[in-house]
Amino acid sequence: MIITVTPNAALDITYRVPRLLPHTTHRVSEPVERPGGKGLNVARVLAALGHEAVVTGFAGGPTGEVLRERLAGLGTVRDALVPIKGTTRRTIGVVDDATGDTTMFNEAGPTVSAAEWAAFLTGYRELLAGASAVALCGSLPPGLPVGSYAELIREARTAGVPVLLDTSGEPLRRGLAARPDLIKPNLDELTRLTGSTEPAHAAEEARRRGARAVAASLGAEGILAVTEDAMWRAVPPDRLSGNPTGAGDSAVAGLLSGLVEGLDWPGRLARAIALSAATVLAPAAGEFDRAAYEELLGRVEVTAVPRATS
């Protein structure tokens, strides 16, 4: 069983318009609503890969009810979300069909009380007892301290469960001190964390600060992974156009499933890149095109990168 934690879950709403123009009225056909938030996206991909996936975090209010109904409709992911008094946030993505670009509008999320956090921790510890890995994903909602992910990492390490952290800002900085097994920042998040704009140097610095391994997402340039004894670069075989929503979450699912299955780093990275690319090509945001994934998997280029000597 793989746990994905999404403290700030969301109901994702996607609109498509022929062309997105400011100061005009747009007609939207067939809006799509789906359970969202980074960890829920990761869980969907894990389930599609054949893994037992459990989602936890918080859900509340009318939006939370819709989210859980949509989640139950999937039939592939176990719902262990904790009820709260606040209302689950919405994220709205507007896809411009003319350019393929997506414009996002993200609500902040509900305030989580100390009692609700305590209830979550009780359930989280119970889930860890049967877990093979855990992913901690996304932003923290109002009410939770910035050290919340650090606490969850320490709980996972006590239980002997490998943990991946995918967040940004101060929660990432605090989380590093708890020594997660893997972090997956993008280049901007890595730069803000370390002050370095050079990917290899920034990833090495993040690892020195506490991460056992770093998989830095470089967008169209692929992923740079730094471990204790190696550095790898994985690059997609083609330049792709489409909707990138959820592509990074698919990469997390690739890395985490590869870890659980005992794949070596080149195998994990190839899967992460192929899943990410197949997500960009999928017609619905956050899904992945299975045929494209299987075709791309054998063509991902993964190379060892020499490490700088100090």
Side-chain angles (χ1 to χ4, degrees), residues 20 26 32 35 42 66 73 94 99 118 137 140 151 162 190 244 259 267 269 274 281:
L20 182 61
H26 298 81
V32 176
V42 172
V66 174
V94 182
T99 64
C137 303
L140 295 173
E151 182 175 1
L190 198 56
L259 182 155
L269 291 168
L281 294 173

Side-chain angles (χ1 to χ4, degrees), residues 6-7 9-10 56-65 67-68 79-89 110 112 116:
T6 311
T56 188
F58 303 99
T63 307
E65 291 178 7
L67 183 151
R68 300 188 82 162
D79 177 359
L81 295 166
V82 174
I84 57 173
K85 291 182 179 179
T87 298
T88 296
R89 68 189 179 121
V112 176
E116 290 164 344

Side-chain angles (χ1 to χ4, degrees), residues 248-271:
D249 304 328
S250 291
V252 168
L255 293 167
L256 203 59
S257 62
L259 182 155
V260 169
E261 294 172 29
L263 298 184
D264 60 13
W265 270 101
R268 299 180 205 180
L269 291 168
R271 178 179 290 182

